[in-house]
Amino acid sequence: MTWPHGVGIGWRPEIAGFVAELPGLRFVEVVAESLAAGGPLPAGLAALRERGVTVVPHGVRLSLGGAEPVDPHRVAHLARVAELVDAPLVSEHVAFVRAGGLEAGHLLPLPRTREAVTAVVANVRRAQAELPVPLALEPIAALFDWPDDELDEADFLTEILDATGAGLLLDVANVYANARNRGDDPHALLDRLPLERISYVHVAGGAERDGLYHDTHTDPVPAEVLELVGALCARRPPPALLLERDGHYPPAAALRAELDALAVAAGHPVVT
Amino acid sequence: MNTLAAPGDTWGIPGPLFLKLYLLVAVVAVVGTLLHRRRATAGPDPVTADQLGPQQVAYLNGGDQLAIWAALGGLRAAGAIDVRPDRRLIAAGPTPTGVTPLDHAIRHAARQPVAAQKLGRDSGVARALEQLRQGLEQRGLLIDADGVRALRRGRNLLLVLLALGVVRLVAGLVNARPVGWLLVALLVLGVALALLARTPRRTRTANVLLRRLRQSSHHLSPDSAPAYATYGAAGAAMGVALFGTASLYALDPGFAAQAEIQRQALNASSGSSYSGSSGTSCGGSSSSSSCSGGSSSSCGGGGSSCGGGGGCGG
């Protein structure tokens, strides 16, 4: 279990054959909920593990931001999956996906209040107690802000990270999306985030619809996001960057070009 | 002298003597046939076999028809073939790069609208398939016609031997002679014959290569919802070659259904049963699409039969 390093890509069954043929690949991420806790691993993922590629389980359903305590069964699943792939760490979102027994089906943003910080910290600590490896937290892209926000994004995150000791999974595309949709300067946010806490970085494509930028994961990575990756690396180079693509997969050459562009922007060796 | 030929002996040959001779000949015939088959179906060292193209894999996995479907998968992924509202295929766009002779022949046949099921009857397509087959025979992956005939000779010898034994059995029964041991010998021979009944077309090397490919290409299985845009035309063709026309439906369901291509999911067990003795088509005149081998599980939606042309795919 090697800590994520260099440029990686989100492993999805749809592109398993493409990922398998990336000669320089050192790490991938897999949606934790897509794996069976008892195994076996999908053949493509097992082959990557045999090659010594680091696999990081990425949870999307834990609902760490929920007002109610995090579901122990879901934490147990994440823990078992981490052991199954011999992961050095796991990651989850600072968001809630269910409330009052209702499933939103989406990652929903939290109101940035002291109360929310307390709730998230409690849930993260509950999860950390059961997980065999460190946890990294990912702030999500929010298309709206709650009216009762007390903290700005940087303070909100820093408080949670400080209280829990969790790592930061920074999604540069989210930083870009949030800043653009709020009319803020994304570089200003980078200046205020605890970049030394970054475990690894997410980069994804998106598209503008009806005046709002959507973090779709199904479109090419815009030049502005790559530029922001460069700006981040100029401040403090993260150990690893991961391209997330979740559908509308382009021809292999286009996907390779995105990975190469990411490697160039971050100053890492190309993996293609 | 009585012991050698008693008046009651069937055909004047005493039972124990006939049984001894019969067993001797049967053992020699079965062992000889097995040894011959083992040598004739070996194929070259799998390590030395070069990479196989999708259409070669398809031919090995399901003969002429699957090779056509694999080529169609590649052409469709490249945007080089279209289907008209009247369900016939028509060539589209410029010729893609890297086309094989079979791709070329199919596009040539589809200059005029042509039903997918009738592509195999086009003389150019038939010639390309013939080339494909000969290439595989030369590489020692398919057994050629002479080899198939030789394999059948061994099997036919056993069949004659079995028939002789059955006649002797009947004659013995009519003569009211003991036939228990002969019956046992016939049953054993019958089992041996049943095991040898299917004449393989593929060599064992080809089977090994197909098995390896199925394992290493699991990402092309329709179960993985392959991103065909990422894998390109060759990936689409290989998907059809390994996993059947279910891959065509995964690639472009509208196209596959409109062209009335029968949905067929191949798996490891059905893929290995392709044999030359009965060809690859089933369903006779009611269905012009094919199933690989004799597997009853290889045709989706149709139970054990292949069903009519429009029954599965339409």
Side-chain angles (χ1 to χ4, degrees):
Chain A
M1 56 170 184
T2 317
W3 205 258
H5 184 76
V7 171
I9 185 167
W11 188 89
R12 310 284 182 262
E14 293 92 327
I15 52 168
F18 169 82
V19 177
E21 289 181 2
L22 294 172
L25 189 69
R26 305 273 294 279
F27 100 101
V28 297
E29 189 187 70
V30 61
V31 174
E33 285 81 356
S34 73
L35 298 182
L41 288 179
L45 208 54
L48 289 175
R49 279 300 303 133
E50 276 169 33
R51 264 171 58 186
V53 174
T54 298
V55 178
V56 178
H58 182 54
V60 295
R61 314 287 303 154
L62 218 47
S63 204
L64 288 170
E68 62 270 38
V70 67
D71 181 353
H73 295 294
R74 292 181 189 273
V75 178
H77 180 272
L78 186 56
R80 278 201 297 273
V81 164
E83 282 164 355
L84 196 62
V85 299
D86 195 21
L89 80 163
V90 296
S91 53
E92 241 299 350
H93 299 88
V94 181
F96 69 99
V97 298
R98 72 187 65 83
L102 283 177
E103 293 282 334
H106 286 283
L107 295 163
L108 294 172
L110 299 174
R112 292 193 299 268
T113 60
R114 303 260 170 224
E115 199 185 341
V117 169
T118 309
V120 172
V121 166
N123 267 337
V124 170
R125 284 179 177 156
R126 283 186 196 103
Q128 283 172 323
E130 303 301 321
L131 289 170
V133 291
L135 173 68
L137 297 175
E138 177 179 18
I140 66 161
L143 286 172
F144 61 92
D145 290 317
W146 297 97
D148 47 354
D149 286 347
E150 298 165 2
L151 301 162
D152 71 9
E153 194 153 344
D155 288 338
F156 180 71
L157 275 172
T158 306
E159 289 209 8
I160 294 171
L161 297 180
D162 282 348
T164 60
L168 173 61
L169 166 48
L170 184 65
D171 190 323
V172 176
N174 285 353
V175 171
Y176 173 75
N178 288 353
R180 176 161 163 176
N181 291 337
R182 290 173 186 145
D184 295 343
D185 177 12
H187 298 87
L189 180 61
L190 287 186
D191 284 335
R192 299 206 47 240
L193 285 172
L195 302 185
E196 72 284 357
R197 305 290 291 266
I198 291 181
S199 301
Y200 63 105
V201 164
H202 270 174
V203 180
E208 187 176 309
R209 271 198 309 268
D210 307 325
L212 281 178
Y213 181 85
H214 292 256
D215 183 40
T216 62
H217 295 198
T218 58
D219 290 283
V221 178
E224 294 88 338
V225 171
L226 282 176
E227 187 269 325
L228 200 56
V229 168
L232 168 69
C233 295
R235 284 169 173 77
R236 188 184 179 98
L241 301 99
L242 184 120
L243 178 68
E244 288 184 293
R245 184 84 187 204
D246 288 308
H248 202 259
Y249 298 98
L255 215 43
R256 274 196 291 270
E258 290 220 310
L259 286 168
D260 289 349
L262 188 54
V264 168
H268 279 291
V270 297
V271 298
T272 57
Chain B
M1 292 300 115
N2 262 358
T3 53
L4 275 182
D9 288 337
T10 306
W11 306 340
I13 308 170
L17 180 63
F18 180 87
L19 192 63
K20 268 182 214 157
L21 289 173
Y22 188 77
L23 281 177
L24 185 70
V25 174
V27 167
V28 168
V30 168
V31 170
T33 303
L34 283 175
L35 286 177
H36 170 253
R37 173 169 289 215
R38 196 166 168 71
R39 204 177 57 242
T41 60
D45 187 346
V47 183
T48 65
D50 300 334
Q51 287 258 311
L52 294 173
Q55 289 164 12
Q56 291 173 306
V57 172
Y59 199 99
L60 288 176
N61 203 19
D64 284 352
Q65 187 61 76
L66 193 57
I68 291 175
W69 294 148
L72 271 185
L75 289 172
R76 181 61 185 168
I81 198 102
D82 221 331
V83 62
R84 295 160 27 113
D86 68 1
R87 301 183 172 276
R88 289 188 293 173
L89 300 176
I90 189 82
T95 307
T97 51
V99 290
T100 67
L102 180 57
D103 290 328
H104 204 77
I106 288 176
R107 269 181 55 92
H108 194 263
R111 280 172 314 159
Q112 304 296 322
V114 59
Q117 317 285 5
K118 291 185 178 158
L119 279 172
R121 294 183 212 166
D122 177 83
S123 59
V125 171
R127 263 197 309 280
L129 290 167
E130 178 72 11
Q131 275 178 31
L132 199 56
R133 182 177 59 75
Q134 284 170 354
L136 292 167
E137 286 172 359
Q138 279 157 15
R139 296 174 65 161
L141 298 175
L142 278 184
I143 297 161
D144 62 17
D146 288 345
V148 168
R149 268 196 294 277
L151 287 172
R152 286 193 186 142
R153 266 199 296 277
R155 183 198 64 186
N156 292 344
L157 178 69
L158 295 183
L159 209 57
V160 169
L161 206 56
L162 185 72
L164 175 71
V166 169
V167 173
R168 169 81 185 191
L169 181 80
V170 171
L173 285 172
V174 170
N175 268 354
R177 310 296 298 174
V179 294
W181 286 111
L182 181 59
L183 185 63
V184 171
L186 289 181
L187 288 177
V188 172
L189 189 60
V191 170
L193 199 56
L195 293 176
L196 292 167
R198 174 169 281 159
T199 307
R201 277 303 313 271
R202 283 194 305 256
T203 61
R204 291 200 299 283
T205 301
N207 288 335
V208 168
L209 291 177
L210 279 182
R211 200 159 48 237
R212 280 188 199 163
L213 268 172
R214 267 186 221 106
Q215 279 163 4
S216 65
S217 305
H218 181 72
H219 61 276
L220 293 175
S221 154
D223 302 343
S224 301
Y228 292 106
T230 303
Y231 298 131
M238 189 62 97
V240 178
L242 288 171
F243 304 105
T245 54
S247 293
L248 269 176
Y249 276 86
L251 168 71
D252 191 338
F255 170 81
Q258 178 73 12
E260 298 188 307
I261 293 166
Q262 188 158 354
R263 193 194 299 259
Q264 152 221 43
L266 296 180
N267 53 39
S269 59
S270 68
S272 62
S273 64
Y274 164 50
S275 68
S277 56
S278 60
T280 56
S281 72
C282 62
S285 60
S286 68
S287 166
S288 46
S289 56
S290 83
C291 296
S292 171
S295 166
S296 58
S297 65
S298 65
C299 295
S304 62
S305 75
C306 280
C312 299

